[in-house]
Amino acid sequence: MSQQTAHRGGAVWALVITSVAGFMAALDNLVVTTALPSIREDLGGALHDLEWTVSAYTLTFAVLLMFGAALGDRFGRRRLFLAGLTVFTGASAAAALAPGIDSLIAARAVQGAGAAVMMPLTLTLLTAAVPAAKRGMAYGIWGAVNGLAVASGPLVGGTLTEHISWQWIFWLNVPLGLALLPLARLRLAESHGTGAPLDLPGTLLASGGLFGIVYGLVRGPVDGWTGGLVLTGLFAGTALLTGFVLYSTRAKNPMLPMRLFRSRAFAGINAASLLMFLGMFGSIFLLSQYMQGVLGYSPTEAGLRMLPWTGMPMLVAPIAGILADRVGGRPVVAAGLFLQALGLGYMAVVATADASYAAQLPALIISGIGMALFFAPASHLVMSSVRPQEQGIASGANNALREVGGALGIAVMASIFAAQGGYETGQTFVDGMRPALVTGSAVVALAGVAALLIPTRRRTERQPAPGEPAPVLETAAR
């Protein structure tokens, strides 16, 4: 990176730009859920069409994340970030203007593709702009904003739909995107990865495998787990991902070097991230419905009552980032995961068909603190577990695993819910939700165990001999 280019970058600007961009991409995962009845009233469509307005985004986002990161490493991270942001913003406008359900689904798929290019590069660009000593705090703020987006998606979607119109859940992205584009062009520094050529066979294997698995997970609760397309997607996706792993162990310049997983830091934080999103996404999916369908709150009222959980990252995550700089990321991440597990378990105990808000409040606060403690140090652990030129693909891989975890969480929770309860009455809903929340709590606790496997100290690095591959950092506690 040239001195002139580096001078144009600024830590504060990079933090603002990448945090807002990450917020936009993360928000659109769940923002549509509470708007589905209004969309159906305006645009028509069967139930499976409405579900695809959510699934189309999830699919393209998860499938293309690693490919988007690889494109940024090869052709310039700022350049591809701008391209992804442009696609995302344009597709958001197209979704708001959609005349029918089919065009809305298509726009959502394009939106997900833009987000897949943009999202993994936010962390890489932020890392390049912020001095190492300040990254914990920067990751804390970035993590707080992204955590808030994930958790507040149903609230934002419900509030805009209730008080304005469902189109505004998409129009919201347009002024933000238009404001970020010139700022990113002028204020972000350009950087590249290793400069290796694109790994087309690896890209096809990984993208096809992720598509099959995510498709199966998304459609399983709707079409049935024994459905032909669901089973085909799951088995074919697993086979393709197995082929991707085998290919990547032998390829000269693989898209995702399998040697990265020899690092306990990289393997541990990715396992923890997948399990955390599995437990959290599924829980939010059910709890937002519980607040509205069982306790009778409007979308806005439900969102406000969930603020002790969803809003806590804005208060705690920056502190968590600073704390991770001082004591290391592993204990902070593990503590956050165990607190999140405790909060979900507490909610499973106190949830009833007529539970008071006071009874739920401790669970929401504990869960919020836990989520906040996870997001910031987890990002730091991912980025510090690999070499600088590999940070783009590391971010893409971590985000892809989070998306798969989220899709798996909703599928698992929905299946447990359907097996144990249903929507007939408030009590049957609670009967189904309780075992699902217990499962979510156990999965997040397992994520805490995975975080404890991360090493606490950085191994001494040595320079590689000529022709020897550079070493992977076996680290990331700090």
Side-chain angles (χ1 to χ4, degrees):
M1 186 192 311
S2 68
Q3 291 297 323
Q4 181 180 4
T5 303
H7 179 71
R8 293 167 58 193
V12 175
W13 277 114
L15 179 59
V16 171
I17 293 167
T18 57
S19 294
V20 174
F23 179 90
M24 293 162 62
L27 181 72
D28 275 60
N29 261 310
L30 293 174
V31 73
V32 179
T33 54
T34 47
L36 292 179
S38 297
I39 292 174
R40 184 177 187 180
E41 185 178 341
D42 280 1
L43 302 183
L47 179 61
H48 70 272
D49 294 321
L50 294 176
E51 289 160 349
W52 271 112
T53 64
V54 180
S55 301
Y57 183 88
T58 303
L59 271 172
T60 54
F61 190 24
V63 166
L64 297 175
L65 272 164
M66 284 197 290
F67 183 52
L71 286 175
D73 285 349
R74 181 68 178 85
F75 298 108
R77 291 159 177 164
R78 184 186 64 183
R79 179 183 300 172
L80 265 294
F81 174 82
L82 289 168
L85 179 58
T86 300
V87 170
F88 181 85
T89 304
S92 297
L97 295 169
I101 193 70
D102 291 336
S103 55
L104 176 59
I105 292 170
R108 287 284 286 166
V110 176
Q111 232 191 345
V117 176
M118 175 178 69
M119 184 65 170
L121 298 178
T122 59
L123 264 182
T124 316
L125 291 165
L126 181 61
T127 301
V130 178
K134 300 287 184 67
R135 284 177 189 159
M137 182 173 64
Y139 290 145
I141 297 171
W142 182 93
V145 174
N146 279 268
L148 178 64
V150 170
S152 64
L155 165 63
V156 173
T159 301
L160 291 174
T161 301
E162 183 179 346
H163 297 291
I164 309 178
S165 70
W166 64 263
Q167 285 88 349
W168 274 94
I169 63 180
F170 302 115
W171 282 127
L172 178 66
N173 294 321
V174 176
L176 291 175
L178 293 176
L180 287 184
L181 281 168
L183 287 175
R185 178 68 181 84
L186 295 171
R187 297 293 182 175
L188 291 180
E190 184 61 281
S191 63
H192 295 77
T194 60
L198 283 176
D199 176 17
L200 292 180
T203 297
L204 292 175
L205 286 169
S207 299
L210 285 172
F211 179 86
I213 288 177
V214 176
Y215 176 88
L217 293 176
V218 166
R219 302 306 303 170
V222 180
D223 299 339
W225 293 104
T226 58
L229 287 177
V230 171
L231 289 176
T232 300
L234 292 175
F235 283 117
T238 301
L240 288 171
L241 284 184
T242 302
F244 171 70
V245 171
L246 295 175
Y247 164 81
S248 298
T249 59
R250 297 174 174 83
K252 183 178 180 181
N253 295 301
M255 180 175 68
L256 178 60
M258 289 297 110
R259 60 177 171 75
L260 294 182
F261 290 95
R262 298 174 193 163
S263 162
R264 282 170 51 204
F266 187 79
I269 190 57
N270 277 289
S273 296
L274 185 148
L275 293 170
M276 162 64 174
F277 271 67
L278 194 161
M280 185 184 69
F281 257 64
S283 299
I284 290 174
F285 176 74
L286 289 176
L287 285 172
S288 62
Q289 297 181 68
Y290 168 70
M291 288 274 190
Q292 297 175 58
V294 177
L295 300 183
Y297 300 127
S298 71
T300 305
E301 290 170 339
L304 290 174
R305 283 165 174 77
M306 291 183 73
L307 274 179
W309 183 12
T310 60
M312 194 63 70
M314 294 300 293
L315 301 176
V316 178
I319 300 171
I322 296 172
L323 186 62
D325 280 340
R326 295 183 178 179
V327 303
R330 185 184 76 158
V332 180
V333 165
L337 290 168
F338 288 127
L339 282 173
Q340 177 77 82
L342 177 62
L344 293 177
Y346 192 115
M347 180 62 78
V349 171
V350 302
T352 64
D354 57 353
S356 68
Y357 183 61
Q360 302 168 55
L361 187 58
L364 296 172
I365 293 174
I366 293 170
S367 295
I369 294 173
M371 185 168 64
L373 290 176
F374 169 82
F375 275 113
S379 302
H380 200 170
L381 290 171
V382 171
M383 301 306 280
S384 61
S385 66
V386 298
R387 300 177 298 180
Q389 60 267 39
E390 293 172 329
Q391 287 174 339
I393 194 59
S395 175
N398 183 256
N399 277 283
L401 287 171
R402 289 183 178 194
E403 286 301 308
V404 171
L408 180 60
I410 292 176
V412 169
M413 299 291 196
S415 297
I416 294 173
F417 171 82
Q420 300 294 323
Y423 290 94
E424 292 81 9
T425 66
Q427 187 57 51
T428 57
F429 189 97
V430 171
D431 290 341
M433 184 181 72
R434 276 180 169 169
L437 290 180
V438 170
T439 302
S441 174
V443 169
V444 176
L446 187 60
V449 174
L452 291 177
L453 299 177
I454 298 170
T456 57
R457 296 181 182 274
R458 185 185 298 271
R459 282 167 42 182
T460 303
E461 301 171 50
R462 65 175 179 85
Q463 292 300 316
E468 178 185 352
V472 178
L473 300 183
E474 184 78 31
T475 176
R478 298 186 183 277

